Amino acid sequence: MFLYRPQQARSLGGLRERLARQGMADVHYMIVNEKAPLSRVMFGELERQAPPGVPVFQPEPEEPDVWQVLGGYQDDFLVYDRCGRLAFHIQLPYSFLHFPYVESAIRFTHSKDFCGNCSLYPNTTQEANATTEVPVTLSPLPEQGGKESETPFHQHNPLHPHHHHKGEGLPFRRGIRLLETGAVDNVLQVGFHLSGTVTEPATATEPEMTYKVAISFDRCKITSVTCGCGNKDIFYCAHVVALSLYRIRKPDQVKLRLPISETLFQMNRDQLQKFVQYLITAHHTEVLPTAQKLADEILSSNSEINQVHGAPDPTAGASIDDENCWHLDEEQVREQVKLFLSQGGYYGSGKQLNSMFAKVREMLRMRDSNGARMLTLITEQFMADPRLSLWRQQGTGITEKCRQLWDELGALWVCVVLNPHCKLEEKSCWLRQLRKWGEMDVCPLEDGNYGNELPNITNALTQSSSHSQDSLARPRRTVFTRAIEGCDLHWQDSHLQRIISSDFYMSPSYQREGESLLFNSQGQPLWLEHVPTACARVDALRSHGYPREALRLTVAIINTLRLQQQRQLEIYKHQKKELLQRGATTITNLEGWVGHPLNPIGCLFLTLTEACRLEEENCLEISDTGDSKPPVYQHVPVATGSQDSGESYLSLALEVALMGMGQQRVMPEGLYAQDKVCRNEEQIIARLQDLELDPVLVQTLRKQCILLLEGGPFSGLGEVIHRESVPMHTFAKYLFSALLPHDADLAYKLALRAMRLPVLETTAPSGDVTHPHHLVSVVPSRYPRWFTLGHLESQQCELASTMLTAAKGDMLRLRTVLEAIQKNIHSSSLIFKLAQDAFKIATPADSNSDTTLLNVALELGLQVMRMTLSTLNWRRREMVRWLVTCATEVGVRALVSILQSWYSLFTPTEATSIVAATVMSHNTILRLSLDYPQREELASCARTLALQCAMKDPQNCALSALTLCEKDHIAFETAYQIVIDAASTGMTYTQLFTIARYMEHRGYPLRAFKLASLAMTHLNLAYNQDTHPAINDVLWACALSHSLGKNELAAIIPLVVKSVHCATVLSDILRRCTMTAPGLAGIPGRRNSGKLMSTDKAPLRQLLDATISAYINTTHSRLTHISPRHYGEFIEFLSKARETFLLAQDGHIQFAQFIDNLKQIYKGKKKLMLLVRERFG
């Protein structure tokens, strides 16, 4: 039996056909409509939607309400067996036919013998485990009357199998196995109390264990649970499951007794005394103290126990007026949440907490009062998290994972306080608790440190007009503020009640002339309310199990947004000329819908798409395998009073998503708020990508895109936007990809419009602070801190790359996209990435290059060169090399162009060492297959570049210029002269030595000598620099001079004496000069005598004297700070000095005098002088 819902009625036919194919054609179906007047109005529509042959029953006003008699609600399924006994009562959301529960319940009832010995059933029945995994309600036991008929209890979510993916480890599965293996025994039901024992079989590590289990229930709900296993979890243990299912499956085998108070009433005095004494004797160690205490109180006439009539009975059940709710182990909830929070987001604790939030939403859908209780327990543990005070003391922000959990917590509280059937006492209690939490110092703010600029959500409500203007800005907005504000909302508005109560609520046709606040021009109802607040109402309806009402309110909200969009277009038409002249606008939304704490667009989109999900026959198999298959949607017509609307909920979902994403809104302050905008945008786009665009959705897409382009300052894609408006790059990328196959012109127009990023435009005016009457506007003149700017720029780059890829081969579109990139992208790294992407696309490995796209890549590369020429960029060398590669692919003209305009693209060093060198390489010549004139043209350009660079930066470019000009005598001489001219001004000895060595290598020894002599004038080697890197260059210069002849050696020795003061270096030079005769290089036109040079004559005499003097000075310097551990090294130094002294004619006399002086001057260093005396006498 199915209780009214037209969409479910349509799906009932598919269920009937599936079961008939499985041999269950004898199942009878009936739809029961509600007795309420509105439901009676819709009776005809329900009959039309019902499958053929399925009767629809409508109770008359004077007849009893069948829904009330059966204890059912809207969308419930009641499954009866052949004997007319209620087997299953399946409630929302499990009664939706795209879940497997209804079908499983019917199959189970059709094949299972509930009575135990019924002749209608075969002796062997097959029972699948999955068929019992349904929220069920047992029928009353026929053996008992009165209150015992209320003993059936509802198997709530703790027994539900879909809390985990691996079913075998679930308490429910284990409970079934225990039941089927006969582990349940001693089952006794006393009134509303069920007890029994469950035996766990022995395992390899554990012995057999028997646990006592006790369950209390009241009006189809388990109210308390006790088990000897000591289960520490928020879900029922397997033993509770086994005992519960024993009572469900084997009701005839359960011993039934009246409540204990009724049994005691039937006993006389002697029987009562015997009962009490036997009870005390059986459990004297446990109950004797309590029994004596109670006896003392009863015997005392003034005791409190004697002032109360009657006595408590735990087996009698609660009064009809008492609250009844499912058993919830509050201590276990606290412990679980505390444990997950202590793990700090590691070990999957974030997923566990999200699953607990999902459990709360599930409870709310089931209208279980434990939903709010469990959320309160979770919130208490969140507020007690010690990290909150630590973060506050350190001044650091909450971690992102923790922040998302707090957001979900706040959103859940909004749903709780907006319960349409919430009692005022409950709401007042919640309000006090929320305010208490919100006033705590550690309570997280709604948007990090920036929570004081968002308007109160009740400001725009027609029912809250009494709020003062001071409430526009609240000094401190916590994650609970919106829930606190939600407590001011109510559902008593008559217009709102009519909207959510009927699909056919419209204004009369004669009242549709002129404007109305309640209906649009077609007579459809509107709901004028602050949009996020209205969407919070929708979320509350969905969360509390009112999907149809949520759908109706969603349609009214969308009609309101459409009317608002239309009026905004009219306003823009009057302001268009002025705004276009200014080029900017101060109109913006501070509170955008995307990234909003209440997620209004996501809420509306999910509400609409849930109504359009296609029910698949194999949904059970899909859920078992765990595959994340994308949802499949179908068009479901909007249920409205106008028969010719032609709209579907799916097209409305697409439309509202586009309207919300395209809203022009200011970027919020704070890192987390900005990051949330990006994440929410990506989440909505991911859902949009699940929609398969058919002609209807494409038409909706085109229409909305055109409206967004024409929306002016109210649209993020309008012609003029605010400087700090949230960019549309990610959204436009989706729109471009979706529109391209259907309307390429519109796709490019929209994507090119979205390329802008005005916050980086230095010329963009900040605007003045104005407050138009139709939108909230806040434009403080400040430089914004966009923490997500890097991400936004990368999305801008992705959009440009997508357009470049799509425009391949289309010169006009490529040129347009290139202009947009050059105008709007301000990051050199991103432009370089675009250039690389374009180059890859233009040069596929398996086909010819695309010249047009190659030119685009080259132009982007040239722009990168100009942007990074005067700034530091660690990828600069990579960029330069890539540009030369790209220009090579384009052709010789591109190479010539970059060589000729090098000064605007490269530094002199880059131009000579990378650009010109690569262009002149053999590989480039082969790659381009150049003829002789082309090679000459390139070489001429390279030489010209080299000379210009050498003039501009001779220190770094001289050697490269000489190398490039080798093959042209005039150019080479010019480069050499540039080096000579620069040698005396700015070049270092290292650069000059390098060029001198190059000259010697090229066969110009005299030029090398000249450069080496110039280098020596810049050098200065101190006495202790015996490891200086220039020593090799000095030795090379002296060797070069010696090889050229006596004159060159005589010319360089004075330079050496002047520049070098290191004794070991001078002695090395002296030794080398005396080993061979000068002039061995064989310079043409010179005569070589072949005689060794004497140290007594010039020029070596000067070098010898300088060396001896250097040894003397170095010796005194070393003795000033010498330590004993260096004595041995010092003696070796004196030995080398003696070798040099002995080169002079009276050298032995000079050395002896030198040693005597040392002994006299440093006689205090006795140990050292003793060593000197031992070695040198």
Side-chain angles (χ1 to χ4, degrees):
M1 182 174 291
F2 169 59
L3 304 180
Y4 162 68
R5 193 169 192 252
Q7 185 181 350
Q8 291 275 75
R10 290 196 302 272
S11 305
L12 192 59
L15 173 64
R16 182 174 63 175
E17 293 174 4
R18 284 199 302 275
L19 292 173
R21 290 196 298 269
Q22 299 172 17
M24 288 174 275
D26 56 341
V27 178
H28 299 282
Y29 305 85
M30 173 185 287
I31 298 174
V32 180
N33 195 23
E34 193 183 15
K35 187 180 177 182
L38 179 60
S39 300
R40 293 175 59 82
V41 171
M42 298 186 63
F43 178 71
E45 176 66 18
L46 188 57
E47 274 192 318
R48 284 194 298 273
Q49 299 287 353
V54 176
V56 181
F57 176 70
Q58 176 64 65
E60 295 300 326
E62 64 276 4
E63 294 178 349
D65 189 347
V66 179
W67 285 31
Q68 187 174 1
V69 172
L70 297 178
Y73 298 91
Q74 179 179 327
D75 295 337
D76 285 7
F77 264 92
L78 279 70
V79 182
Y80 291 81
D81 64 8
R82 289 178 173 86
C83 299
R85 295 177 49 169
L86 178 63
F88 290 90
H89 181 176
I90 305 174
Q91 300 177 335
L92 280 175
Y94 307 102
S95 60
F96 285 132
L97 290 179
H98 59 268
F99 289 134
Y101 306 120
V102 173
E103 184 175 345
S104 298
I106 295 173
R107 284 204 311 267
F108 187 92
T109 307
H110 189 270
S111 59
K112 178 64 178 176
D113 178 6
F114 278 92
C115 301
N117 58 354
C118 183
S119 60
L120 290 174
Y121 292 84
N123 292 329
T124 57
T125 59
Q126 294 182 351
E127 174 183 341
N129 283 343
T131 58
T132 62
E133 300 172 10
V134 206
V136 297
T137 302
L138 283 187
S139 58
L141 294 176
E143 295 84 0
Q144 295 287 342
K147 201 165 190 177
E148 181 62 35
S149 64
E150 298 178 5
T151 55
F153 52 88
H154 182 78
Q155 179 192 325
H156 188 40
N157 299 315
L159 301 179
H160 196 271
H162 292 290
H163 294 297
H164 305 273
H165 293 293
K166 297 182 179 179
E168 290 306 313
L170 286 173
F172 188 87
R173 299 274 189 177
R174 291 174 49 227
I176 290 177
R177 286 201 300 272
L178 290 171
L179 173 65
E180 292 175 343
T181 55
V184 184
D185 199 7
N186 303 320
V187 181
L188 172 66
Q189 179 176 331
V190 180
F192 292 85
H193 184 85
L194 184 69
S195 63
T197 60
V198 180
T199 303
E200 282 273 11
T203 63
T205 57
E206 296 290 338
E208 181 179 276
M209 296 290 292
T210 300
Y211 301 105
K212 293 181 180 180
V213 185
I215 300 173
S216 297
F217 47 88
D218 176 32
R219 282 166 285 177
C220 303
K221 296 177 181 176
I222 294 177
T223 55
S224 68
V225 169
T226 305
C227 181
C229 70
N231 173 56
K232 298 296 182 182
D233 201 346
I234 64 173
F235 306 121
Y236 297 160
C237 66
H239 315 113
V240 172
V241 174
L243 181 60
S244 303
L245 293 180
Y246 187 96
R247 174 64 181 81
I248 292 172
R249 295 185 179 183
K250 302 178 181 180
D252 54 328
Q253 298 182 26
V254 178
K255 299 175 185 178
L256 298 173
R257 298 292 183 269
L258 292 173
I260 195 67
S261 57
E262 296 289 336
T263 304
L264 294 175
F265 183 74
Q266 298 174 15
M267 296 181 183
N268 59 30
R269 183 190 178 284
D270 293 337
Q271 290 172 321
L272 284 171
Q273 183 171 357
K274 183 178 291 187
F275 170 78
V276 172
Q277 289 184 222
Y278 268 96
L279 179 63
I280 293 174
T281 302
H283 303 285
H284 66 278
T285 56
E286 292 92 353
V287 303
L288 186 57
T290 305
Q292 186 61 54
K293 178 184 177 183
L294 291 173
D296 293 343
E297 291 186 8
I298 290 173
L299 292 174
S300 174
S301 59
N302 296 326
S303 64
E304 183 179 351
I305 199 171
N306 286 319
Q307 308 301 320
V308 180
H309 294 288
D313 181 0
T315 66
S319 169
I320 191 67
D321 298 323
D322 291 345
E323 290 281 339
N324 71 323
C325 59
W326 283 91
H327 168 68
L328 181 68
D329 192 337
E330 297 187 358
E331 187 58 34
Q332 284 307 312
V333 173
R334 293 190 186 97
E335 290 300 320
Q336 292 275 346
V337 177
K338 187 184 298 183
L339 173 64
F340 295 147
L341 286 174
S342 67
Q343 293 173 357
Y346 300 102
Y347 314 111
S349 60
K351 291 182 179 179
Q352 296 288 351
L353 288 168
N354 278 319
S355 71
M356 295 185 77
F357 289 147
K359 172 61 63 182
V360 173
R361 286 192 179 271
E362 190 177 340
M363 289 178 174
L364 295 179
R365 279 198 301 273
M366 300 292 293
R367 300 167 197 173
D368 181 358
S369 59
N370 275 336
R373 284 177 59 203
M374 184 169 175
L375 185 60
T376 302
L377 297 172
I378 293 173
T379 308
E380 288 173 350
Q381 295 307 310
F382 266 69
M383 292 300 300
D385 189 350
R387 293 178 298 172
L388 291 178
S389 56
L390 184 64
W391 285 327
R392 177 178 170 81
Q393 292 169 6
Q394 295 176 345
T396 56
I398 302 177
T399 60
E400 183 179 345
K401 289 183 180 179
C402 192
R403 179 76 240 192
Q404 293 175 19
L405 293 172
W406 276 101
D407 283 351
E408 179 64 17
L409 192 68
L412 275 173
W413 272 113
V414 173
C415 285
V416 168
V417 302
L418 285 179
N419 183 354
H421 293 99
C422 172
K423 296 179 182 178
L424 285 176
E425 298 80 16
E426 286 181 315
K427 187 176 284 191
S428 300
C429 179
W430 292 333
L431 180 59
R432 286 193 299 272
Q433 186 63 64
L434 290 168
R435 282 177 174 165
K436 178 182 175 182
W437 289 328
E439 290 169 0
M440 296 175 66
D441 291 337
V442 296
C443 185
L445 301 180
E446 187 176 62
D447 288 305
N449 295 323
Y450 304 92
N452 60 342
E453 293 187 8
L454 299 183
N456 186 313
I457 68 171
T458 57
N459 284 337
L461 303 185
T462 56
Q463 61 196 41
S464 306
S465 58
S466 61
H467 286 269
S468 66
Q469 292 298 322
D470 293 336
S471 64
L472 274 173
R474 305 190 64 164
R476 187 171 181 268
R477 294 185 62 84
T478 68
V479 291
F480 301 116
T481 300
R482 293 189 182 273
I484 293 171
E485 294 168 355
C487 292
D488 296 334
L489 305 176
H490 59 76
W491 298 84
Q492 278 71 47
D493 185 276
S494 60
H495 181 58
L496 176 61
Q497 286 290 320
R498 291 189 180 97
I499 289 174
I500 64 176
S501 300
S502 172
D503 289 326
F504 305 98
Y505 175 47
M506 298 187 70
S507 67
S509 56
Y510 61 84
Q511 293 182 358
R512 297 180 188 177
E513 298 295 330
E515 292 202 2
S516 169
L517 294 177
L518 302 181
F519 301 93
N520 61 14
S521 58
Q522 289 79 37
Q524 297 168 327
L526 306 174
W527 181 241
L528 293 174
E529 188 174 36
H530 178 236
V531 174
T533 308
C535 297
R537 289 184 185 274
V538 173
D539 193 28
L541 289 170
R542 286 176 62 244
S543 300
H544 288 89
Y546 301 98
R548 191 68 197 174
E549 289 79 358
L551 206 56
R552 292 166 184 154
L553 183 56
T554 298
V555 174
I557 293 171
I558 293 175
N559 287 331
T560 308
L561 293 177
R562 285 172 170 171
L563 184 61
Q564 179 186 358
Q565 190 179 51
Q566 180 182 346
R567 290 178 177 174
Q568 288 173 350
L569 284 172
E570 294 173 358
I571 293 171
Y572 174 56
K573 287 178 182 177
H574 297 295
Q575 300 176 345
K576 184 173 183 179
K577 185 175 180 181
E578 177 188 352
L579 289 173
L580 289 178
Q581 286 177 348
R582 283 166 41 192
T585 178
T586 57
I587 301 173
T588 184
N589 275 300
L590 176 64
E591 195 175 37
W593 300 333
V594 175
H596 192 280
L598 298 177
N599 190 19
I601 301 303
C603 171
L604 296 182
F605 185 84
L606 286 176
T607 303
L608 293 163
T609 51
E610 281 177 0
C612 303
R613 289 197 65 159
L614 190 62
E615 299 161 8
E616 297 185 8
E617 294 186 13
N618 59 344
C619 60
L620 181 59
E621 288 76 5
I622 292 175
S623 65
D624 287 343
T625 57
D627 294 337
S628 56
K629 196 173 181 180
V632 180
Y633 300 104
Q634 61 183 348
H635 284 284
V636 177
V638 177
T640 60
S642 57
Q643 300 296 324
D644 56 348
S645 63
E647 289 182 331
S648 73
Y649 292 121
L650 197 59
S651 62
L652 287 184
L654 176 61
E655 182 177 354
V656 75
L658 298 180
M659 291 171 71
M661 296 277 287
Q663 177 204 28
Q664 203 255 122
R665 57 201 182 271
V666 74
M667 177 67 77
E669 292 190 16
L671 170 60
Y672 179 74
Q674 294 176 12
D675 181 64
K676 190 174 180 181
V677 169
C678 299
R679 275 190 288 106
N680 193 206
E681 187 177 41
E682 290 167 358
Q683 290 166 359
I684 296 173
I685 289 176
R687 294 194 180 109
L688 285 173
Q689 289 170 339
D690 288 337
L691 301 181
E692 186 176 346
L693 295 179
D694 56 20
V696 175
L697 294 183
V698 170
Q699 185 63 26
T700 303
L701 181 66
R702 290 185 73 257
K703 178 182 177 183
Q704 195 56 228
C705 287
I706 293 171
L707 288 173
L708 288 174
L709 287 172
E710 296 175 352
F714 306 98
S715 164
L717 294 169
E719 289 184 81
V720 284
I721 57 173
H722 184 260
R723 179 172 180 259
E724 296 175 30
S725 177
V726 174
M728 296 282 121
H729 306 131
T730 309
F731 180 42
K733 181 184 174 185
Y734 163 75
L735 294 178
F736 179 80
S737 301
L739 275 173
L740 191 63
H742 310 287
D743 191 339
D745 291 338
L746 181 59
Y748 276 101
K749 183 178 180 181
L750 187 143
L752 290 169
R753 175 77 61 81
M755 276 292 294
R756 60 197 170 186
L757 191 56
V759 73
L760 295 181
E761 300 288 345
T762 55
T763 57
S766 60
D768 57 340
V769 182
T770 59
H771 293 266
H773 67 281
H774 45 270
L775 282 177
V776 179
S777 175
V778 175
V779 195
S781 56
R782 57 171 174 77
Y783 186 78
R785 293 193 66 190
W786 283 28
F787 298 94
T788 56
L789 187 59
H791 171 75
L792 297 173
E793 286 188 289
S794 67
Q795 291 300 308
Q796 183 187 35
C797 177
E798 289 292 327
L799 173 61
S801 180
T802 303
M803 286 194 289
L804 282 175
T805 306
K808 180 180 178 181
D810 190 329
M811 185 180 298
L812 184 59
R813 291 204 194 280
L814 280 174
R815 179 56 55 184
T816 309
V817 174
L818 175 62
E819 291 173 357
I821 292 171
Q822 293 173 330
K823 177 182 177 183
N824 297 294
I825 298 185
H826 304 276
S827 167
S828 58
S829 298
L830 292 178
I831 296 179
F832 182 52
K833 181 182 181 301
L834 282 174
Q836 289 178 308
D837 291 345
F839 183 77
K840 289 178 183 177
I841 299 167
T843 55
D846 54 351
S847 61
N848 296 329
S849 300
D850 185 293
T851 307
T852 309
L853 195 53
L854 265 178
N855 281 309
V856 169
L858 180 62
E859 288 200 42
L860 290 173
L862 294 174
Q863 183 177 353
V864 172
M865 291 297 102
R866 297 186 191 98
M867 293 174 69
T868 58
L869 179 60
S870 57
T871 59
L872 294 176
N873 192 306
W874 64 274
R875 299 183 65 189
R876 173 72 184 180
R877 290 182 65 85
E878 177 193 354
M879 293 172 175
V880 173
R881 294 183 186 279
W882 178 88
L883 181 71
V884 177
T885 303
C886 182
T888 304
E889 287 293 328
V890 174
V892 66
R893 301 318 309 166
L895 290 174
V896 170
S897 175
I898 64 171
L899 289 174
Q900 291 177 343
S901 57
W902 70 269
Y903 46 84
S904 63
L905 304 172
F906 316 107
T907 63
T909 306
E910 293 168 347
T912 53
S913 61
I914 301 177
V915 180
T918 306
V919 170
M920 294 301 295
S921 67
H922 185 65
N923 290 336
T924 304
I925 303 297
L926 292 178
R927 177 74 181 85
L928 294 174
S929 303
L930 300 178
D931 55 21
Y932 180 76
Q934 290 175 323
R935 290 201 299 270
E936 281 301 305
E937 183 182 13
L938 269 183
S940 175
C941 291
R943 289 192 293 267
T944 304
L945 175 147
L947 294 175
Q948 291 173 346
C949 292
M951 289 288 291
K952 189 172 184 179
D953 186 8
Q955 293 90 343
N956 299 309
C957 301
L959 182 59
S960 298
L962 287 167
T963 305
L964 290 168
C965 297
E966 284 177 355
K967 296 181 180 180
D968 187 283
H969 177 71
I970 298 175
F972 186 80
E973 291 297 326
T974 306
Y976 173 69
Q977 191 58 48
I978 292 173
V979 174
I980 296 299
D981 294 341
S984 58
T985 55
M987 298 188 72
T988 64
Y989 61 84
T990 304
Q991 295 165 338
L992 289 170
F993 274 130
T994 303
I995 299 172
R997 286 177 179 266
Y998 164 78
M999 283 295 185
E1000 184 196 28
H1001 178 71
R1002 300 305 301 172
Y1004 300 104
L1006 292 176
R1007 292 185 177 184
F1009 169 74
K1010 185 174 183 179
L1011 291 169
S1013 301
L1014 291 171
M1016 289 298 298
T1017 61
H1018 295 76
L1019 181 65
N1020 184 25
L1021 278 181
Y1023 73 91
N1024 56 351
Q1025 290 182 301
D1026 50 357
T1027 58
H1028 195 280
I1031 291 175
N1032 287 331
D1033 290 323
V1034 173
L1035 295 175
W1036 169 83
C1038 293
L1040 174 66
S1041 305
H1042 187 267
S1043 66
L1044 290 177
K1046 186 176 180 181
N1047 294 334
E1048 285 75 10
L1049 185 61
I1052 205 166
I1053 283 179
L1055 299 177
V1056 172
V1057 170
K1058 182 179 180 181
S1059 302
V1060 180
H1061 307 286
C1062 180
T1064 55
V1065 176
L1066 289 171
S1067 64
D1068 194 11
I1069 295 172
L1070 182 63
R1071 180 182 56 80
R1072 294 184 185 210
C1073 290
T1074 57
M1075 289 177 64
T1076 59
L1080 295 181
I1083 302 298
R1086 290 198 184 181
R1087 226 165 29 128
N1088 182 12
S1089 63
K1091 294 180 181 180
L1092 295 177
M1093 298 182 68
S1094 172
T1095 56
D1096 294 330
K1097 297 179 181 180
L1100 294 187
R1101 177 66 187 182
Q1102 184 181 2
L1103 181 60
L1104 177 60
D1105 293 342
T1107 306
I1108 292 173
S1109 176
Y1111 268 118
I1112 294 172
N1113 293 334
T1114 304
T1115 300
H1116 288 293
S1117 297
R1118 294 183 68 170
L1119 284 172
T1120 305
H1121 305 289
I1122 196 168
S1123 62
R1125 61 177 179 161
H1126 293 126
Y1127 284 173
E1129 182 183 341
F1130 178 74
I1131 296 300
E1132 293 301 321
F1133 175 76
L1134 286 180
S1135 299
K1136 292 181 180 179
R1138 181 171 61 178
E1139 294 175 3
T1140 303
F1141 271 86
L1142 293 178
L1143 291 176
Q1145 285 186 352
D1146 55 348
H1148 61 285
I1149 300 174
Q1150 292 185 41
F1151 185 74
Q1153 292 176 351
F1154 173 55
I1155 294 297
D1156 290 340
N1157 289 337
L1158 291 180
K1159 293 175 185 178
Q1160 185 66 30
I1161 296 172
Y1162 302 102
K1163 58 185 177 182
K1165 300 182 185 296
K1166 295 180 181 180
K1167 186 176 180 181
L1168 178 59
M1169 291 303 109
L1170 179 63
L1171 293 174
V1172 170
R1173 190 176 297 109
E1174 288 177 356
R1175 174 68 67 92
F1176 304 109

